[in-house]
Amino acid sequence: MNRTFARSATGLVALSLLLAGCGTQNTTTAPATNTPTTPSNASFKVGLVTDVGGLNDHSFNHLAYVGLQAAEAKYGISGSVVQSHQTSDYLTNLTNFAQAGDKLVIAVGYLMNSAVQTVSKKFPKTKFLIIDDAITNRPNVASALFNTQECGYLVGVMAGLMEKQKGIAQINNKNTVGTIGGMQIPPVESYMAGFVAGVKKVDPTANVLVGWANSFTDPASGEAIANQQISNGADIVFPVAGATGNGAITAAKQHNVFAIGVDANQNYLAPQTVMTSALKAVDVATETVIGQALHNQFKSGIVTFDLKNKGVGYAPPIKAVPASIVAQVNHYATLIESGKITPPSTLS
């Protein structure tokens, strides 16, 4: 296999503290330092299989890897990664880790459902974690799901309120925003559905353009769709498309309009352009389940991450976003947490 190995002596450690149970904090990362107090569990092997977007997607594959590195530094376990280059790799990559005796095998992505179903049945003593899809009929499979319609809603509220601002160079008078999906699958659509609902909540007359790239690995396609949306008046674009979305951020930067990042805080890709990011704490979910498996606390079934347990959220906005708008976004967050607002997870 084309493996990239990462051991406990190095790695990125999530800065936030892990909450009780399945709670999370959205995080940045910093270099880890190995100390004498780090436990040694080198015989506990964890294999991580990326989606086709790969480790350089600046998104959920990257975050899963960060979570694995954090677990290596915290627990002294042995982690290894294989990147999938096409969907036909999923079954082989998962099987190879299970055959090698890895105690936990992590499948990053909704599209791996079928492969995980097959391999987990063949290797009932191996534990599996699938990110972004639910498998409930296997006692050795845990499923991490994220209510991304909630953070999508919040960045949508921010975008809608920004459309009403005057005197911001990046905001035109077209009252139009855009969103781009990598593929029309539930983990993508939920982000976009929340975004559209959030925009419309505070700016009912706004025009929201929706585009689909049908790929998570094609930045050129993302850039082309974003260019089209920008030419049609969009001054804020929200790509939910893995590496494809990086092209949309590039287009926004070139046209001096705003972009909204996804999954991780993507402001570093274009510090003056990415005004915030909708966050999904895949890193902490990954680290959580590794710790549970190591300590014989593994639980099969669905684990849900949402605003309440800090499993989703939004990144600190740039200075161009007025404090008054941030306050309103925070208010809507409390309404979601209290159950007074339930963002939709599907596009109408």
mmCIF file of all heavy atoms in Angstrom, residues 20-21 78 83 285 331:
data_model
loop_
_atom_site.group_PDB
_atom_site.id
_atom_site.type_symbol
_atom_site.label_atom_id
_atom_site.label_comp_id
_atom_site.label_asym_id
_atom_site.label_seq_id
_atom_site.Cartn_x
_atom_site.Cartn_y
_atom_site.Cartn_z
ATOM 1 N N ALA A 20 -16.652 15.797 28.079
ATOM 2 C CA ALA A 20 -17.132 14.482 28.495
ATOM 3 C C ALA A 20 -17.983 13.866 27.414
ATOM 4 O O ALA A 20 -18.704 14.538 26.700
ATOM 5 C CB ALA A 20 -17.952 14.635 29.786
ATOM 6 N N GLY A 21 -17.925 12.550 27.318
ATOM 7 C CA GLY A 21 -18.712 11.847 26.309
ATOM 8 C C GLY A 21 -18.207 12.165 24.937
ATOM 9 O O GLY A 21 -17.060 11.982 24.619
ATOM 10 N N SER A 78 -0.041 3.536 17.659
ATOM 11 C CA SER A 78 0.636 3.548 16.359
ATOM 12 C C SER A 78 -0.398 3.783 15.264
ATOM 13 O O SER A 78 -1.296 2.958 15.070
ATOM 14 C CB SER A 78 1.359 2.226 16.110
ATOM 15 O OG SER A 78 2.368 2.023 17.069
ATOM 16 N N GLN A 83 -3.980 6.854 1.467
ATOM 17 C CA GLN A 83 -4.835 7.761 0.710
ATOM 18 C C GLN A 83 -5.486 7.013 -0.459
ATOM 19 O O GLN A 83 -4.816 6.329 -1.220
ATOM 20 C CB GLN A 83 -4.015 8.945 0.177
ATOM 21 C CG GLN A 83 -3.352 9.762 1.277
ATOM 22 C CD GLN A 83 -2.729 11.024 0.744
ATOM 23 O OE1 GLN A 83 -3.417 11.969 0.392
ATOM 24 N NE2 GLN A 83 -1.408 11.050 0.682
ATOM 25 N N ALA A 285 -13.640 14.173 16.849
ATOM 26 C CA ALA A 285 -14.424 12.937 16.756
ATOM 27 C C ALA A 285 -13.502 11.737 16.558
ATOM 28 O O ALA A 285 -13.677 10.680 17.187
ATOM 29 C CB ALA A 285 -15.422 13.046 15.612
ATOM 30 N N HIS A 331 -26.551 35.048 18.599
ATOM 31 C CA HIS A 331 -27.931 34.946 19.074
ATOM 32 C C HIS A 331 -28.659 33.797 18.373
ATOM 33 O O HIS A 331 -29.372 33.011 19.025
ATOM 34 C CB HIS A 331 -28.669 36.266 18.832
ATOM 35 C CG HIS A 331 -30.139 36.200 19.114
ATOM 36 N ND1 HIS A 331 -30.648 36.015 20.378
ATOM 37 C CD2 HIS A 331 -31.219 36.269 18.275
ATOM 38 C CE1 HIS A 331 -31.973 35.986 20.323
ATOM 39 N NE2 HIS A 331 -32.341 36.143 19.063
#
